Amino acid sequence: MQNRQKVSNAIIRRLPRYRRYLGYLQTKGIKKISSNELSELIGYTASQIRQDLNTFGEFGQQGYGYEVDKLYKEINRILGLDREYKTVVIGVGNLGQAITNYSYYYKIGFNIIGLFDVNPKIVGNVINDVEVMDAAGLEEYLEKENIDIGVICVNRENAQRVVDSLIRGGVKGIWNFAPIDLEVPDEIALESVHLSDSLHALSFMIRNNSGEKKD
Amino acid sequence: MQNRQKVSNAIIRRLPRYRRYLGYLQTKGIKKISSNELSELIGYTASQIRQDLNTFGEFGQQGYGYEVDKLYKEINRILGLDREYKTVVIGVGNLGQAITNYSYYYKIGFNIIGLFDVNPKIVGNVINDVEVMDAAGLEEYLEKENIDIGVICVNRENAQRVVDSLIRGGVKGIWNFAPIDLEVPDEIALESVHLSDSLHALSFMIRNNSGEKKD
DNA sequence: TAGATTGTTAATCGATTAACAATC
DNA sequence: TAGATTGTTAATCGATTAACAATC
């Protein structure tokens, strides 16, 4: 598990998708699948699928294929979904609430145990059994709790400041929804969802009449 | 504007980011910038920036650089942000509401004029001055209104069916938040925001102690 | 004119695909 | 064993970076 070299971003983006399709196969009761069948389903080449999987180990059996259950478990492990993450959400406006309420199913393992906001109208509200705390108490809270992930749902102007607090407080990863490119140290994981960038990419594709698009 | 060949997905993803930084420079009152200065700011190589821009035209001036205002306008035009899009949101749960309410600023040009849901408790609610209609009336509505973009905030099980309706109704693009890979004809633009995939990518990066990450 | 910086071609790098030997 | 399919090396393709001539 240690000292593997850098996994390319392209592979990281494909892994959750493998997971989704394997989960689907599982619910269908399908026990084994070959890279060719998976290719048909998921749309990557069989060659790419085998290459991707072999980055992490030898999960298949020659002449047979891959066991769905086993591969699903392996990918979960690779993705770090075999553990739980203590998570806080900063900024409990529309988006923060949506994330907090977001279908439990898709957030298994990501336990939102703290909510913070600066707005006195929001502080004290209870969302999904968690009471919204005053953001002024964030740093103090982080000293007590061992938080893994901070979700940034504050506005652009405050995002970096909040991130700095979170990192001082020891979080391992940031899930950012603010429309800004945040600065974090190398050892901190950062994943940004830039909704407006995504919308603008859509608009580009509409103008250029699309043709193939990725995903 | 016509018959240019396929713009790579990598470039499409960078364009909204150029736009963001140019908007920032504008608010700072900066009038000109060289590819080297922009590289410093945005983190792409100067060479890449020049290559990217030259995909769409010659926007700079040798020996001088790029005019911020002009380049910003050009990129807006390239992204199709010089027009308006009639937009509907299907599924007005937490996420649909968040998208609908999402800071006006980031949605300029994307006018949400129709909201639809199947839940009788939600139908009739007014969000951002728009009343939620019964999803049963979607197809009829699309026949009357000329809608450009449909935003999918329904669950996985219903997403493809809704998309099929939207496409029959003539939309040009789909902004999808359901955790499924939708099927659309080649001429329809599709942009998916897979929140759970994004979260799982974050979890991967945490496990693998990150190091560099894209964005 | 000299200096700066673009536009663009050429070189490099990395990711994807093809091919095939290993092996179940 | 023969057939199937993986694991893995080699070939190809595309995207990024470097270099430099054009030109403001």
Side-chain angles (χ1 to χ4, degrees):
Chain A
M1 182 88 310
Q2 256 62 255
N3 97 335
R4 80 200 89 39
Q5 78 268 44
K6 179 85 177 65
V7 175
S8 83
N9 194 54
I11 294 179
I12 297 176
R13 298 295 144 188
R14 285 193 292 270
L15 287 171
R17 185 155 157 171
Y18 288 123
R19 179 180 178 278
R20 258 194 290 130
Y21 280 89
L22 288 163
Y24 166 78
L25 291 169
Q26 253 191 345
T27 65
K28 287 274 181 194
I30 291 167
K31 292 295 175 208
K32 73 135 275 217
I33 193 157
S34 70
S35 57
N36 259 296
E37 292 164 324
L38 197 51
S39 168
E40 196 91 349
L41 190 68
I42 203 171
Y44 306 141
T45 65
S47 195
Q48 178 157 78
I49 291 167
R50 295 201 300 278
Q51 286 274 25
D52 283 352
L53 297 178
N54 277 69
T55 309
F56 301 100
E58 306 188 2
F59 304 130
Q61 189 171 316
Q62 273 127 326
Y64 175 78
Y66 300 89
E67 302 244 22
V68 172
D69 286 7
K70 177 177 182 242
L71 192 52
Y72 183 71
K73 254 192 219 104
E74 291 287 0
I75 289 184
N76 271 303
R77 187 185 49 73
I78 291 162
L79 283 170
L81 298 176
D82 54 353
R83 54 160 290 197
E84 306 210 331
Y85 297 89
K86 288 169 113 177
T87 304
V88 297
V89 175
I90 321 298
V92 194
N94 285 294
L95 192 61
Q97 281 182 46
I99 298 293
T100 305
N101 284 315
Y102 191 56
S103 168
Y104 173 71
Y105 177 79
Y106 300 111
K107 282 188 320 207
I108 289 171
F110 300 88
N111 306 320
I112 298 180
I113 60 167
L115 300 175
F116 292 88
D117 204 291
V118 290
N119 186 340
K121 284 181 195 154
I122 292 176
V123 172
N125 288 1
V126 175
I127 296 163
N128 245 359
D129 301 329
V130 181
E131 190 177 343
V132 180
M133 291 173 267
D134 190 314
L138 176 61
E139 299 229 10
E140 197 184 345
Y141 176 89
L142 293 170
E143 276 169 31
K144 287 181 306 200
E145 298 283 342
N146 215 328
I147 300 297
D148 298 297
I149 294 175
V151 184
I152 306 297
C153 296
V154 301
N155 60 24
R156 186 172 50 173
E157 290 71 22
N158 292 299
Q160 184 64 57
R161 202 173 39 72
V162 170
V163 165
D164 294 344
S165 290
L166 287 166
I167 290 171
R168 275 195 301 274
V171 306
K172 317 278 189 314
I174 301 284
W175 200 21
N176 172 46
F177 288 85
I180 188 175
D181 300 317
L182 297 168
E183 305 285 342
V184 300
D186 275 359
E187 70 276 14
I188 304 296
L190 170 65
E191 167 74 5
S192 287
V193 178
H194 287 310
L195 292 178
S196 53
D197 285 14
S198 170
L199 188 54
H200 295 165
L202 176 62
S203 138
F204 176 90
M205 292 186 284
I206 290 173
R207 155 148 301 186
N208 292 264
N209 227 72
S210 188
E212 82 234 62
K213 60 234 98 44
K214 270 283 156 63
D215 72 80
Chain B
M1 184 85 311
Q2 255 61 252
N3 98 335
R4 81 200 88 37
Q5 77 268 42
K6 179 85 176 65
V7 175
S8 82
N9 194 54
I11 294 180
I12 297 177
R13 298 295 144 188
R14 285 193 293 269
L15 288 172
R17 186 155 156 171
Y18 287 124
R19 179 181 177 278
R20 257 195 289 128
Y21 280 88
L22 287 163
Y24 167 78
L25 289 170
Q26 254 191 342
T27 66
K28 288 273 178 194
I30 292 166
K31 291 297 174 205
K32 74 136 273 212
I33 194 157
S34 69
S35 56
N36 260 297
E37 291 163 326
L38 197 49
S39 167
E40 197 91 346
L41 190 66
I42 204 172
Y44 306 139
T45 65
S47 196
Q48 178 157 76
I49 292 168
R50 294 200 303 276
Q51 287 274 26
D52 283 351
L53 296 178
N54 277 68
T55 309
F56 301 99
E58 306 187 2
F59 305 131
Q61 188 171 316
Q62 276 129 324
Y64 175 76
Y66 301 88
E67 300 244 23
V68 171
D69 286 8
K70 176 176 182 242
L71 192 53
Y72 183 71
K73 255 191 217 104
E74 292 286 359
I75 288 182
N76 272 303
R77 189 184 51 71
I78 292 163
L79 284 170
L81 298 176
D82 53 353
R83 52 159 293 196
E84 306 211 330
Y85 297 89
K86 287 168 111 176
T87 304
V88 297
V89 174
I90 322 297
V92 194
N94 285 295
L95 192 60
Q97 280 182 48
I99 299 293
T100 305
N101 284 317
Y102 189 56
S103 168
Y104 173 73
Y105 177 80
Y106 299 111
K107 280 189 323 209
I108 288 172
F110 301 88
N111 306 320
I112 297 181
I113 61 167
L115 300 174
F116 291 88
D117 205 291
V118 290
N119 186 342
K121 283 181 196 154
I122 292 176
V123 173
N125 288 1
V126 175
I127 297 162
N128 244 2
D129 301 330
V130 181
E131 192 178 340
V132 180
M133 292 172 267
D134 190 315
L138 176 61
E139 299 228 9
E140 197 185 344
Y141 176 89
L142 294 170
E143 278 169 28
K144 287 180 308 197
E145 298 281 345
N146 214 329
I147 299 297
D148 299 297
I149 294 175
V151 184
I152 307 296
C153 295
V154 303
N155 60 23
R156 187 172 50 175
E157 290 73 22
N158 293 299
Q160 185 64 56
R161 201 173 39 71
V162 170
V163 165
D164 294 344
S165 291
L166 287 166
I167 289 170
R168 275 196 301 277
V171 305
K172 318 279 190 314
I174 300 284
W175 200 22
N176 172 46
F177 289 85
I180 188 176
D181 299 317
L182 296 169
E183 303 286 343
V184 300
D186 275 358
E187 69 276 15
I188 303 295
L190 170 65
E191 167 74 5
S192 287
V193 178
H194 288 311
L195 292 177
S196 52
D197 285 15
S198 170
L199 188 53
H200 295 165
L202 176 63
S203 138
F204 176 91
M205 291 185 285
I206 290 173
R207 157 150 300 188
N208 292 265
N209 227 73
S210 188
E212 82 234 64
K213 61 233 96 54
K214 270 282 155 63
D215 74 76

